[in-house]
Amino acid sequence: MKHLVGIVGFRGYSGMELHRILERHPHIDPVLLEHRADVGEQSNLRRKAGPLRLPCTAEAAKEHGLAAVLLATPADVSIGLARAFLDVGVKVVDLSGAFRLQSPENYHRWYREEHMEPALLAEAAYGLPEFCRSRIPGARLVANPGCYPTAANLALKPLVAAGVIDRPAGIVCDAKSGVSGAGRKPSLKTSFCEVTENFSAYSILEHRHVPEVLMYSGIEEAEFSFTAQLLPLDRGILETIYFRSAKLESAAQLIDIYEAQYGEEPFVRLYEGGRVPDLRSVQHTNYCDIGVKFDGTTGRAVVVAAIDNLVKGAAGQAIQNLNLILKRPETEGLL
Amino acid sequence: MKHLVGIVGFRGYSGMELHRILERHPHIDPVLLEHRADVGEQSNLRRKAGPLRLPCTAEAAKEHGLAAVLLATPADVSIGLARAFLDVGVKVVDLSGAFRLQSPENYHRWYREEHMEPALLAEAAYGLPEFCRSRIPGARLVANPGCYPTAANLALKPLVAAGVIDRPAGIVCDAKSGVSGAGRKPSLKTSFCEVTENFSAYSILEHRHVPEVLMYSGIEEAEFSFTAQLLPLDRGILETIYFRSAKLESAAQLIDIYEAQYGEEPFVRLYEGGRVPDLRSVQHTNYCDIGVKFDGTTGRAVVVAAIDNLVKGAAGQAIQNLNLILKRPETEGLL
Amino acid sequence: MKHLVGIVGFRGYSGMELHRILERHPHIDPVLLEHRADVGEQSNLRRKAGPLRLPCTAEAAKEHGLAAVLLATPADVSIGLARAFLDVGVKVVDLSGAFRLQSPENYHRWYREEHMEPALLAEAAYGLPEFCRSRIPGARLVANPGCYPTAANLALKPLVAAGVIDRPAGIVCDAKSGVSGAGRKPSLKTSFCEVTENFSAYSILEHRHVPEVLMYSGIEEAEFSFTAQLLPLDRGILETIYFRSAKLESAAQLIDIYEAQYGEEPFVRLYEGGRVPDLRSVQHTNYCDIGVKFDGTTGRAVVVAAIDNLVKGAAGQAIQNLNLILKRPETEGLL
Amino acid sequence: MKHLVGIVGFRGYSGMELHRILERHPHIDPVLLEHRADVGEQSNLRRKAGPLRLPCTAEAAKEHGLAAVLLATPADVSIGLARAFLDVGVKVVDLSGAFRLQSPENYHRWYREEHMEPALLAEAAYGLPEFCRSRIPGARLVANPGCYPTAANLALKPLVAAGVIDRPAGIVCDAKSGVSGAGRKPSLKTSFCEVTENFSAYSILEHRHVPEVLMYSGIEEAEFSFTAQLLPLDRGILETIYFRSAKLESAAQLIDIYEAQYGEEPFVRLYEGGRVPDLRSVQHTNYCDIGVKFDGTTGRAVVVAAIDNLVKGAAGQAIQNLNLILKRPETEGLL
């Protein structure tokens, strides 16, 4: 028998992607939870049997025996919804930033609001399976990582742990994202004519995703320079990461460190020979691809990490976490 | 009376841009110099009076009294052509990398070929008017800067000179360019289906433009990490430059350094208040726009510089140099 | 001395284009008329001397001696503004559909509203200079044509007049437009992620621009099939027009008809030899380019007409009309 | 046990799509047949187990027991390869135009070459399963339809058969395709900078795909006007089809005709209520989506049909045919 799993925010890009993935999942059926009183969008197709739709309430979720709900909603909405679903015993994977930062102080600094559920914030498991796999299956509430931090942490954490980065010289993460990362709500900044043939930087040194990188990679804020930039394309994140290393002699040593960490990981792929991924390599997949370039003479290192912001950076990773919670194979529905 | 100025390589993107700018220039008329035995492309328009066309020979250039020629040709082609035109007394502005690197050793290292005209290489004036203005009017041969180095040097040189960069910590230049920078010759890498919705890095730490930045900004190679990246758009370069500074306290101090350098420059524009340019701001103009973000607490600095790779990064700057050579006002035809 | 001309709606794409063109106009200075109580957008640039700004009132227009105002506003806004400016003796060129359809009945059918100023509607001169040039200089109020009708009427009117189209077989106009034609107001339909890599048809057989084609070309509604379609690009309209002709024998005869009509026109260009324009040929210009393909054996004809929707389809043509009203050379500022 | 099926031309866009689909096919394993002596492209990924590779010879195909080969090669290459594979008893699905036109005269007129294997041309089954399903399972050689004719025939054939089109008034098919339809070989016409922000018509009234529409829909050439146009996007074909009908009264009647034809078809979807598909609806699927708009007063009809040119227009339909040949369920691997 299949699990029923609710999706809130199914009209946004992450929610649509959750729906798409779960439609092909062999052991989970999606249920669309109507949060806003939308005028029901009409289907263009003659006959279309859609998934079950329910009102977005804890009662409905309980009554229909939902195994979990996925929240693809803004942080302030997620906070309230998570409380309501957890209170009736329905597990939650939240795709917003609501539960990622562990402490109310941290949340307040970066999201400029008081956190209304500090106990849940403390309780939430961070859903980066490659590093937090053991805690997730037992969690009631999983905070799905941000898109930028997913790539940055997968690229940086093994190197920080191995102690090969000259941290006082600093680490630069120059990040570029497709427009779907900004969500589906219309705005001038994501209008076609403003984005096409354009490229722009935003939130330089101040992006909300910075603390997630710091907390989970162990880097200090003073060591880390992060810029987010908007690519004129739909989906994909590519991060070009720069640091120095006096300890390394070759790119192969860097790949070896990654290999030791990720050799058995189903969703991390490594590139050899100085080659690096482009966005095409990862679009519409749950992979994080990593390649490196290193100059042994001068110690300059460049790591390129790429993900699809809507898959490994959002919905795909959420399903990975969902599989863990529901004791399904972690890759189910994702390969 | 108008000057006649020849364009070689007028079918490439830089050559087309040279043609376009000179058509509107009040004191210069373009002459198209047929280098290859092309089957003459037919005009689609019923009646079109085009510019004068001549064979690409020194004799024709001399006979028709060309005041100068602009070479929008590959480096190896430019080397021979420059010699031929100079020998009959016609001045040359070369848009390739043939004459930028001063020494044959440098050229050989980065272009993997012997330089056939080392005397011309030594003689050539580097055509970055903002810093080399005094030498250009008297030069017979001007090496027009590369697109990436134009933005990088305009962004970095004043800061290096002011001594505000912590150079041992390194400088990162993460550069992104539109596809026209790769030239007009068809290749798989610049095919529409390979580029659209994609983003990729290339020549990491090894780009040919790196030595131009080092030579003219005074930075050491070991201090400088440079990555070139291909944006899915036609034109524009944006460089995100990272460094650290223990000497600075605010972004305003950085802007003041730039203002002191560029206050009177017609083609450098500065942004205030932590704002930075996007590509839209500079496309189809000869401007280099610069903005900065600085965190005084930690000394992290980010400079964003943007140009149009075909204008300030190629044809526009070449016309700027041409104006200087022909003793015309530097901005003529460019505003 | 320069004329002062006001622009209302200068933050929209047509208004921005009006501003851009007038900045380079040798005898007109733009004045920005603040219609909405916008929070003044900050300039990113350090020093920027902008044009004069005034409140959007008839009093201010009169007091500052504006020679005319250009309305780049929605139809319902234009109707009231036109009345106000005309009442104080300031001439008006309106870029909306408010005054194009001559009768209140026509307006009501296509715009689904009562027209509040039927007398002005009757009075307005239609601003397609190639056919209505004589009436425009004496007009107080010019209705600038719609983008689609500009290309369609320039392509069809000479052929209808020449009687070479088999009208009972029908005329098809398959029109494609860049996204800027939909205006700058954010909406899901013009969001980047919805448009990129997509193509869609809308308002099939029911587009508001249809009556303009019918009225000014002399075609009957039953004879004319029109589809508007959204291209994933910023600017440009290309219309592929199909009809049959038993009277013609060659494409050259079609071009001859156009040549007889447009031989002296500065903004219509004709293509020979079965060649047709693409969008690149007309972007950022005030030209309408026309080419034809004809099969003499079967009488099948295809005409391709292209314009830039923001220039000949909006702001450029409005300046053409403005020049006529102000007794300036019609091409001033537009070549 | 799985069937082995060879792919020739696996580096082109159609060949890559064949590979991608067969990798997920539950009962077929792809084999890459090396036709050109390519320098083997290196994989970027560390460990990648690829499919079996063989030289592209009849001997190898026979020896390894290939159940069939798919030819994603140019027409002139396909003709020779088809002969060679068929002679050793290996069935062939050819994606080129080599075997679609039934007679050597037809082939010569549209492809400007003598057909070297007229007997195979006469023998080939046309692979549009929705209309030719009965002949395909028994065929040795299937001519996979062209991309444009697939959409045009699915849209037109039921209406021609129903006799509802006023054929003397003519049928217009205004077709738009993504760039992948032009193949992967680099050319100026498909270079990024030439295509982005551009739109252009080509082969007006003379496209090679026209005879396929005429032959299989039953329309006369004099009745059919076809224009192909290049969209600035990767994949998808949308055709806007215009005709007149004195016999119809409503759009619903048109949909009923389609429903009667396609009610049980797995890969044709119909739209109701005057709605029409966009490209997004069909990209990366094997569906052909059809919607209609009809004006009962004047008899004007517009049909919009959309497919993915690489799936239903090439590789997907080829797998559909392959399934039929191999007696597999027609939809296997395609949903």
Side-chain angles (χ1 to χ4, degrees), chain B residues 150-196:
Chain B
T150 293
N153 279 324
L154 290 173
L156 283 169
K157 208 166 155 56
L159 307 184
V160 173
V164 295
I165 299 177
D166 296 350
R167 286 169 53 177
I171 298 163
V172 166
C173 180
D174 189 273
K176 303 92 179 172
S177 174
V179 184
S180 61
R184 198 162 177 238
K185 196 175 165 197
S187 81
L188 188 58
K189 290 189 181 187
T190 56
S191 286
F192 184 84
C193 296
E194 306 291 319
V195 173
T196 187

Side-chain angles (χ1 to χ4, degrees), chain A residues 42-47 192 196-197 255-256 259 262-263 268-272 275-276 284 289, chain D residues 42-47 192 196-197 234 255-256 259 263 269-272 275-276 280 284 289:
Chain A
Q42 287 182 284
S43 170
N44 282 332
L45 288 172
R46 188 152 201 178
R47 297 147 311 191
F192 185 85
T196 186
E197 300 288 313
I255 291 293
D256 286 344
E259 180 71 21
Y262 298 129
V268 181
R269 300 188 299 191
L270 305 176
Y271 287 55
E272 289 190 316
R275 284 185 289 273
V276 295
H284 297 281
D289 281 11
Chain D
Q42 288 183 282
S43 169
N44 282 332
L45 288 173
R46 187 151 201 179
R47 298 148 310 190
F192 184 85
T196 186
E197 298 289 313
D234 182 11
I255 291 294
D256 286 344
E259 180 71 21
R269 301 188 297 192
L270 305 176
Y271 287 55
E272 290 191 317
R275 283 185 290 272
V276 295
R280 188 77 86 239
H284 299 280
D289 281 11

Side-chain angles (χ1 to χ4, degrees), chain D residues 58 69 80-92 99 120 123 139-142:
Chain D
V69 295
L81 288 177
R83 166 56 69 202
F85 286 114
L86 291 171
D87 281 353
V88 297
V90 175
K91 293 183 175 183
V92 170
F99 301 105
L120 292 182
E123 175 190 339
R140 292 195 306 161
L141 171 60
V142 175

Side-chain angles (χ1 to χ4, degrees), chain B residues 134-149:
Chain B
S134 60
R135 273 201 63 203
I136 297 165
R140 291 196 307 163
L141 171 59
V142 175
N144 207 57
C147 50
Y148 287 124

Side-chain angles (χ1 to χ4, degrees), chain C residues 177-192:
Chain C
S177 174
V179 183
S180 61
R184 197 161 178 239
K185 197 175 164 197
S187 80
L188 189 56
K189 290 189 181 187
T190 57
S191 285
F192 185 85

Side-chain angles (χ1 to χ4, degrees), chain D residues 251-304:
Chain D
Q253 289 177 300
L254 275 164
I255 291 294
D256 286 344
I257 294 170
Y258 286 126
E259 180 71 21
Q261 180 75 46
Y262 298 128
E264 303 302 313
E265 285 296 340
F267 294 123
V268 180
R269 301 188 297 192
L270 305 176
Y271 287 55
E272 290 191 317
R275 283 185 290 272
V276 295
D278 61 4
L279 284 186
R280 188 77 86 239
S281 309
V282 296
Q283 283 161 337
H284 299 280
T285 80
N286 198 47
Y287 294 115
C288 177
D289 281 11
I290 299 175
V292 305
K293 187 90 183 179
F294 185 71
D295 177 41
T297 315
T298 60
R300 294 170 297 163
V302 182
V303 174
V304 174

